[in-house]
């Protein structure tokens, strides 16, 4: 008869329990957000190169800032995969900022953009506080 006191997850080679599938899904959503930021960088660079930018210095600064945010969000996705304890706060802050940017778009002129921003943010916010994820990020 199997012992029911043992955890349901199988151990990893490093000795700890296996990563929760929910944590992997959250990391994938955060990585998707990083990819969307990179798409925004490509859009900004395209507008700078192909079209006449009214303020090229501002466009370059915005593209560079967006690229830095994309790198930071990608680093957070990697941190989620590694179950780093530091990752919860920056991911939480990013999701709130993303909601603040997406909500007006959802109710305003670009509902498809609002959906791209709001839906992943809500899923990640809810997922961060679910018990399997909290347990793995608290170690």
């Amino acid at each position: 008869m199997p012992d029911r006191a043992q955890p349901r997850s199988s151990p990893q080679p490093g000795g700890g329990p296996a990563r929760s599938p929910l944590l992997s899904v959250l990391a994938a959503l955060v990585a998707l957000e990083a990819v969307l930021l990179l798409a925004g960088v490509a859009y900004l660079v395209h507008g700078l190169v192909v079209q006449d930018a009214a303020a090229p210095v501002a466009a370059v600064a915005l593209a560079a800032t967006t690229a830095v945010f994309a790198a930071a969000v990608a680093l957070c996705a990697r941190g989620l995969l590694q179950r780093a304890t530091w990752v919860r706060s920056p991911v939480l802050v990013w999701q709130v900022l993303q909601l603040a940017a997406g909500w007006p778009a959802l109710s305003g002129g670009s509902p498809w953009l609002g959906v791209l921003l709001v839906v992943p943010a809500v899923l990640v916010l809810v997922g961060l506080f679910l018990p399997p994820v909290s347990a793995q990020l608290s170690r």
Side-chain angles (χ1 to χ4, degrees), residues 15-132:
R19 181 174 47 244
S20 166
L22 184 56
L23 188 59
S24 298
V25 169
L26 291 179
L29 284 172
V30 173
L32 174 67
E33 292 170 356
V35 168
L36 289 174
L37 281 168
L38 286 176
V41 171
Y43 178 77
L44 290 168
V45 170
H46 176 268
L48 184 64
V49 173
V50 174
Q51 301 170 351
D52 271 341
V57 174
V60 168
L62 184 59
T65 303
T66 306
V68 168
F69 277 124
V73 172
L75 182 66
C76 288
R78 183 173 182 237
L80 282 171
L81 287 176
Q82 294 175 343
R83 295 180 276 182
T85 56
W86 59 265
V87 78
R88 184 180 296 176
S89 295
V91 170
L92 179 70
V93 168
W94 180 253
Q95 301 315 310
V96 170
L97 289 173
Q98 193 166 308
L99 274 174
W103 195 258
L106 188 64
S107 61
S110 301
W112 62 271
L113 181 61
V115 168
L116 280 176
L117 292 172
V118 169
V119 170
V122 168
L123 292 174
V124 172
L125 275 173
V126 169
L128 280 175
F129 294 102
L130 292 177

